[in-house]
Amino acid sequence: MHQDIIPLYAADIQDQLKKQFAYLSGGRGGDGCPVITFPDYPAFSEIPEKEFQNVLTYLTSIPSLRDAGIGFILVIDRRQDKWTSVKASILRIAASFPGNLQLVLVLRPTGFFHRALSDLAFRFNKDELKMKVPIIMLGSVSELQGYIDKTQLTEDLGGTLDYCHNRWLSRRTAIEGFAQKVKQTAQILQSFGTELAETELPNDVQSTSSLLATHTEKKDKMKEDIRVAVEQGDDILGSITKPVTENPEYKLNQDQLDNQTTVERLLAQLHETETAFDEFWIKHQQKLEQCLRLRNFEQNFREVKAALDIVSERLSAFTDVGNSRSHVEHILKDLANFEEKSHETVTKARMLASERDDFIQSNHYAVDSIIPKCSELHHLCDALTTETERRRNLLNKSLELHDLLEKSMKWCDEGIYLLASQPVDKCQSQDGAEAALQEIEKFLDTGAGNKIKELNKIYREYAHILSEDLKEHVQKVFQKQESMEEMFQKRQVSLKKLAAKQTRPVQPVAPRPEAFVKSPCTSPSLQRENVSSSEGSALRRVNYRKGKSEMTELHQSRGGSTMDDEENLAVLRQHVMNELIETERAYVEELLCVLEGYAAEMDNPLMAHLISPELQNKKDILFGNMEEIYHFHNRIFLRELETYVEYPELVGRCFLDQMEDFQIYEKYCQNKPRSESLWRQFSDSVFFQECQRKLDHKLSLDSYLLKPVQRITKYQLLLKEMLKYSKNCEGAEDLQEALTSILGILKAVNDSMHQIAITGYDGNLNELGKLLMQGSFNVWTDHKKGHTKVKDLARFKPMQRHLFLHEKAVLFCKKREENGEGYEKAPSYSYKHSLNMAAVGITENVKGDAKKFEIWYNAREEVYIIQAPTPEVKATWVNEIRKVLTSQLQACREASQHRTLEQTQSLPLPLPTSSCASPSRNHIRNTKKTEEKKADLTSLEGCGTTVAPKYPEKGKGWAKPSHSLDASEENDGWSSAEEPLNSSDAEEEGGGGAGEMKLTPGKYTVVTDYDKGVSEEFTVKSGDLVQLIREGEDGLWFVKNLSSGREGCIPASNLLMLIGNSKSAQSLSSSESGTASSNLSTSSSCSDSCNVSSTSFSDIKG
């Protein structure tokens, strides 16, 4: 019946066991029977049946099956109880005890009455208490020791057995908890192992990696649980063996020994389970790691395979063998770049394929699927390498062919040039003709290594690269070569005729008459003489006809040679014209292709998904005004060019007619840095790749965006070539002017590229007028208003400044470091300050340095010494500044004359009252001569020492004076002694002597130091302001120095008008002494007379 009872654990009935109405002390009977003790428990009868049953069941389950099979000895201690209780206890125990009984020992009550009663009652109720085992009534503990050894009894029964119920209960709970822990751990490990075994391996890297991490985490947790369990078991085992450890003579009782055995068995079981799990985990981990490596390999294989496919596709695009040497070199460069970029992909593929041996050595479970993939990668890499080498060989072969073609073309061009350069007049002599023939023969000998010998041989040798276009090109080159050789043959025939005719001696037309008269022969045979005379006459007639025929042939030969030269030049002109028109057509087609294939596609809804949001609405930045350029060339310029196809020497007029339209390139070039920056950000965009694929372009968009820049620079090269072959033609002047204009546009484009890089300028640069010049200089400053220390330092330490010369101002900027790539490498210029050209003067030469000149401002309050890189640059800048100042002066004069004319027409003329010159008299004289001088005032020919431009317009330009170096150093300004402009000015003011300056009341600026006044204390320095008081004698004016307050006389030639009563007052500073600096300046009154608002420049000076 007890077998049907469910096993219990101490933890489950811990409270019931704590009551201690029964306990298993660990004692044993003589034959090893476990002893269960029922101590004296007053409330024994009140114990619930369920609790009583649980305790007995649990206690009987503790001993080993062998010991329990022998049977239990029950010790019932009722010494303090009554007989009735003893009876009830025995009956209850007999009815509920679940195990086998060996013996029941009862300690009966010790009271006399109860003891006697128990003896009597036991005899009469023996049958009622009859049990399967004998019941022995004991009267004392000593009797009990007769049945159970004293060492097996607890102290309360008179024994020596060490027993503590709480310690026993705690240990039993720990052992049973440990046993449950071991069991649970084994079950969890078993379940986890089953899970691992049944897990399907993932098909991707991420899942496999995640699974490996998850399983490893679980494994680590399991190992931690096992470690904790082992520590728990070790602690329990240590507590059991502790008494022995502390006292070697201590002997464990049987229950303690059983507990020790149980814990050791559980620990062994735990170690076995852990070992088995570790072995299983190693295999599982290896499988997962192999799976992860396989998935990584498969993923890398797919990526590398896709990359190799892209590389192969791009390589297949290298089908073009080039249409010129430069094109082939460009393709070869692209192929080299492609090979460099693809090298990483090929290397990665080969490294991935080399992992095959590692997979084999590691006994990978999927080695059969890995080996074919590795072999495929090896094959693809080898195929790419082979194909790249094949493409390179084709391109090298194409380069070889184009070298041959270019050599042939160059040889032809040199031959044509040779024919054109041979002087016709020198070829008429024998030596000249023979020299020309030798020159031709020597040149033809060079054709062995330069010309195409057999056309069919070329076709056979280069058959695998000859496309239709290239074949046509070869034919054209061969035809040109044949035409050139035919020209040489004709020239050789002509020269041989000349050389052959010159070698024959010239026969006399007739003997001189004096020969017959003075003949010493006085033969009487007069008839013979007459006969001889008639024969001589006939001979003269024959020789005359023969000589006339020879002269005719000679003239024809000379005419044929001249015609050959003209034909040669005409061929060259036509060749340049054909190149111009063909490249123009190709240029227009390329622009249209870009606009339709890229720009229009940016507005195509079907392509919108390929355009990144950052690129949308950026078409104007990327393409600039390319559409405007296309319409100009397609609708206007190309059609105009085609009308000149038969008259190539007149094509300069076509350029001149459209020159204003070429200004659109300035806008395109200014936008180019922004365009290139945007392209670099999105060059890898799928949109551009798709557009390039559709257009079947070998080059990317940025190459085509560069076409307009390349085209505008190409025109000047073609015009130079055309001009070289058209020097004696009708349109030579137009060609020269067109070339100059195109170069001017290129300069303007270049200058504007620098101008847009100016930073920090608050105003509008467009208000400063046209940008005329720009360049970098060393600059020293010398300001009157500055501190002495600053002035001294400024004189010795130059500043690096980049100057921008506009029509109305000159800007001083500091060049910043270049950053970025491509167009973004252009430097930036930090604005520092600027000078209003209305208040600027220049000094051409500075002593000691031919590269220096001065720009001064506000009557030399501010002086800037400018050092150019070369004297040529300095001359160009001085020339340009003079032009600006002179144009302002001319405008001022015209405005003042116009106002003076208006005033004299509206006011009555005053009568002369004094012989002294006065402003009113000057106005009258000016008015009288207005019409006479109008032409002179509007023309500035011969004004100044400006260097003439290389290609001046007709009837315009500056007269270049012949200054010596010494003269330049002594008279380093713009001297009016050599200036017709100042002379005309003097004539206007009163018709006095040349260079004489008439008095005009007002303030003046001293332009030359002077210290020879009436008072030695009166001195003036260059730049001082003086007030005119009166006109003196001998060209001296009596003035007051506004700086020092002193008065004195000074030559009028040393003064420059600053503020006068006449608004038309303006002056060119002059010097008659030959030692003073003479400067060109436009005064502030000039600005007033020109009605120029000075407020527009008020914020320029900084």
Side-chain angles (χ1 to χ4, degrees), residues 169-184:
L169 182 59
S170 174
R171 185 169 295 169
R172 288 304 307 175
T173 304
I175 293 173
E176 290 173 359
F178 175 61
Q180 289 179 347
K181 181 71 174 179
V182 171
K183 183 178 180 181
Q184 290 175 358

Side-chain angles (χ1 to χ4, degrees), residues 412-426:
C412 292
D413 292 340
E414 290 175 352
I416 294 172
Y417 181 77
L418 174 63
L419 293 178
S421 62
Q422 283 184 336
V424 178
D425 53 344
K426 292 184 179 180

Side-chain angles (χ1 to χ4, degrees), residues 100-146:
N100 297 327
L101 287 174
Q102 179 72 25
L103 182 64
V104 178
L105 300 174
V106 180
L107 285 174
R108 60 189 176 184
T110 56
F112 176 79
F113 174 76
H114 290 291
R115 185 175 182 180
L117 182 61
S118 62
D119 290 339
L120 182 62
F122 181 73
R123 291 191 187 99
F124 287 103
N125 296 313
K126 194 171 184 179
D127 294 335
E128 186 179 351
L129 297 175
K130 190 174 183 181
M131 302 175 67
K132 295 180 180 180
V133 294
I135 298 176
I136 301 174
M137 290 290 182
L138 300 175
S140 63
V141 174
S142 57
E143 293 180 6
L144 177 61
Q145 294 175 357

